[in-house]
Structure formats: structure tokens, C-alpha cells
Amino acid sequence: MRLARLAVGEVELDVEFFDSPCAGEIYDLLPIETPFSTWGDEFYFHVHYKGDLDDTAPTRVRVGDIGYWPPGGALAVFFGPTPASTSGDPVPASEVNLVGRIKGDATLLRKAADARGIKIERI
């Protein structure tokens, strides 16, 4: 099992990375500490990985999902609706490879929207 801790401002949450090639490559990059951007209730940030969509890429995601977005070379952390949403569920800008899932209440990340950076490290 690949476990990590995600920290944004005062919010810390555990993350499980899935058993897929894309997830493994990104997990191997940890720790990552970087500024992030927001898109509704989504944090996204560049990672030093270049991959294509794989068979984990859905058109729908859930609150707590973490996806790799190939067009932007970015990791996306979903914790609520995005500008593309028509309900309370997040909708990515386009398909993402599902690489992990937050264990716990991902909506707590709303409290950290004003933070300056995000950190993900192995535990």
C-alpha cells in the first residue's frame, strides 16, 4: 500500500495512492512541495511527470479523488464542485488518470484555500 500525507495550510489528510503505473511514477516523485492553483474546489499543481491517459481515466470523479491531468502535467485534488460541475460532485476540465484517494474528509481542504502551498510526502 502506498500511503502519503497531504498538507495544505493547517489541514493534513492521509492519501492512498493506487496500484497503477501512473500512480506509482507520481508516488516515486514524493515529496512534492509547491504552490498550487485553484479551480473551484480543486487544487492543481505541476508535477515532473509526463504521461498519457490510461485505463483509470474516468469522465467523472468524486470528492476526495486525486487525478493526474496529462494536458497540464498536473496533479488535481478534488474536494468539491468545480466550475464544470452541475451538482455537488467535482468535474475535471478533461479526463484525468485516477492516482489516489484522500482518506477522510476532503472537504476540510476548503479551509486551506488561502494557503500558499501544498505538500505531499510518503508516510
Side-chain angles (χ1 to χ4, degrees), residues 2 17 21-32 122:
R2 299 176 181 139
F17 277 79
C22 180
E25 292 284 337
I26 291 171
Y27 185 79
D28 288 346
L29 295 174
L30 301 181
I32 296 171
R122 297 179 203 183

Side-chain angles (χ1 to χ4, degrees), residues 8 34-46 69 74-84 91 93 109-118:
V8 185
T34 186
F36 63 88
S37 298
T38 59
W39 194 57
D41 283 352
E42 172 192 327
F43 295 152
Y44 66 96
F45 50 94
H46 178 76
W69 185 53
L75 210 55
V77 179
F78 300 98
F79 55 94
T82 63
V91 176
L109 291 170
R110 290 181 180 138
K111 297 178 184 179
D114 293 334
R116 294 183 182 259
I118 191 166

Side-chain angles (χ1 to χ4, degrees), residues 15 62-66 77-80 90 100-104 106-107:
V15 173
R62 299 179 299 155
V63 170
D65 283 344
I66 299 175
V77 179
F78 300 98
F79 55 94
R101 178 131 182 94
I102 291 173
K103 299 172 74 153
T107 63

Side-chain angles (χ1 to χ4, degrees), residues 49-74:
Y49 170 75
K50 182 66 178 160
D52 296 318
L53 287 175
D54 62 25
D55 61 356
T56 70
T59 55
R60 303 184 82 173
V61 296
R62 299 179 299 155
V63 170
D65 283 344
I66 299 175
Y68 170 71
W69 185 53

